[in-house]
Amino acid sequence: MLFLTRHGQTEMNCSGRLIGRKDSHLTDRGKDQAHRVGQKLRSLIGEGPVSLWASPLGRAQATASILCQYIDVPTIHTDDRLAEIGLGDWEGMTMEDIEFTSPGALDGTDRFDWAYRAPKGESEAAFFERLQSWIDEIDFDAAPVIAVSHGWAGMGLRSLYLNQPFAAVTSKGDSHEAVFEFANGTITEH
């Protein structure tokens, strides 16, 4: 069984900036969100062995550290495959910044494919390939696994697990407090 969550709200989330592989500190609200996720996880998992995996980015590591206050794990495992999509030259920018600096760069895109156009960014194929390689290693019949990831990466993992288009899972909730339970071919949002 896999429990997937997103890091808490960050300063850059509040300013509408694209983070990608950059980092941004959790806000006070983001820390509170991580505490609420920790409480949810404790009630969902109960006692017993569990492993905790997190993206190497600071916002995910900070969230994972807070979760450790609620679940008994010996260590936080870090895996780069859980990192957010790389947005290359667009990291730290707003959508308005992109339109200003690169007029027309977003023409013909929608909310599900614009990121793959980022100069020096991660391609769609590379993004899904690394997420698939991580999820392929999960033993869904063993002790529960908790993963702390990011918005796009989390949606990508849900898309792959359900074998649905990315657009199909992005219409569902993706708050900083959601916990997604992957089990028996379905995903339940808590």
Side-chain angles (χ1 to χ4, degrees):
M1 184 173 307
L2 169 65
F3 294 92
L4 174 68
T5 192
R6 182 181 181 190
H7 61 80
Q9 180 192 67
T10 69
E11 294 167 357
M12 287 177 76
N13 291 142
C14 291
S15 66
R17 298 200 171 276
L18 305 173
I19 306 176
R21 297 290 180 100
K22 278 189 175 289
D23 225 335
S24 183
H25 296 290
L26 295 180
T27 62
D28 287 340
R29 181 176 180 202
K31 293 173 188 171
D32 290 342
Q33 290 167 330
H35 283 284
R36 284 192 285 281
V37 167
Q39 291 166 349
K40 278 186 196 180
L41 286 168
R42 182 175 54 205
S43 69
L44 289 167
I45 295 171
E47 300 295 322
V50 63
S51 62
L52 176 60
W53 291 84
S55 155
L57 300 174
R59 58 196 186 268
Q61 291 288 316
T63 300
S65 293
I66 292 170
L67 298 183
C68 287
Q69 297 174 34
Y70 298 90
I71 52 174
D72 185 24
V73 294
T75 188
I76 299 170
H77 304 283
T78 300
D79 196 312
D80 191 54
R81 294 174 295 176
L82 291 171
E84 185 58 296
I85 187 170
L87 295 174
D89 292 346
W90 291 352
E91 292 182 356
M93 299 176 90
T94 63
M95 297 302 263
E96 292 79 20
D97 293 337
I98 294 168
E99 276 299 325
F100 180 77
T101 59
S102 304
L106 299 174
D107 289 355
T109 64
D110 60 32
R111 62 178 256 201
F112 310 113
D113 66 359
W114 61 267
Y116 308 122
R117 289 198 187 176
K120 300 179 189 165
E122 190 170 12
S123 72
E124 183 176 13
F127 174 66
F128 281 103
E129 188 175 295
R130 74 173 162 88
L131 294 175
Q132 185 69 61
S133 73
W134 186 81
I135 207 165
D136 284 348
E137 293 179 8
I138 300 298
D139 181 352
F140 287 92
D141 296 323
V145 173
I146 298 168
V148 182
S149 191
H150 304 271
W152 271 64
M155 290 183 287
L157 287 167
R158 296 192 325 259
S159 168
L160 291 166
Y161 183 75
L162 294 173
N163 196 27
Q164 292 183 354
F166 191 73
V169 299
T170 60
S171 62
K172 297 183 175 31
D174 194 33
S175 77
H176 295 277
E177 294 181 39
V179 174
F180 295 95
E181 180 180 348
F182 293 50
N184 303 316
T186 64
I187 297 178
T188 304
E189 182 178 350
H190 298 281

